[in-house]
Amino acid sequence: MGAATFVGSALAQTEPIEAQENSLQRAIGDFVAYLKSETYDAASEAARLAREHEDEIEAAEKSFHSRLAELGAALSGQKDRADTLARDAMARLEAWSRSAGVSWDEAERLAQAMLDRLSAWLRSQAPSHESEETAV
């Protein structure tokens, strides 16, 4: 009798688990069906709106492409002007350096020599430490 009671109670415990499992599967299935239905409804509504406003969408697309082309042309023109200015500036710089008669290396050497002389003169003008001391 003890074994029969044990088997009976084991069967009683498995039935609710199976029922819970079925209930959970049913709830998941219902939720998936709901999501599919909502997705279909949303896609249908989007398609309807697109059909109703097709002319407006096409006009907006044409306007967008036109403005994009205008912007591209404007930027291209500015790039061309910037390239021209850069070439002119380089040509003027090269012409100036040729007319100055001094190469960049020579100009750098002369500038360094002038800085060296200025540093030497400043060191010679600095008061010595002996004159700064006060007799006690």
Side-chain angles (χ1 to χ4, degrees), residues 93-112:
L93 181 62
E94 288 172 8
W96 174 79
S97 66
R98 279 192 302 268
S99 69
V102 178
S103 70
W104 284 108
D105 292 335
E106 182 66 14
E108 184 179 2
R109 189 189 63 73
L110 290 171
Q112 187 61 51

Side-chain angles (χ1 to χ4, degrees), residues 33-73:
Y34 167 77
L35 289 177
K36 286 180 180 179
S37 171
E38 288 296 312
T39 302
Y40 176 79
D41 290 346
S44 296
E45 181 66 15
R48 183 188 65 77
L49 288 171
R51 282 189 304 273
E52 287 178 5
H53 299 283
E54 185 175 356
D55 294 340
E56 295 166 8
I57 293 170
E58 286 177 8
E61 184 179 3
K62 287 178 184 175
S63 175
F64 173 75
H65 286 294
S66 172
R67 290 181 185 199
L68 188 60
E70 289 173 7
L71 178 63

Side-chain angles (χ1 to χ4, degrees), residues 12 19 41 70 76 80 132 136:
D41 290 346
E70 289 173 7
S76 176
D80 291 343
E132 289 179 7
V136 183

Side-chain angles (χ1 to χ4, degrees), residues 120-131:
W121 180 78
L122 287 173
R123 281 192 300 271
S124 72
Q125 300 301 313
S128 64
H129 293 304
E130 294 174 3
S131 62

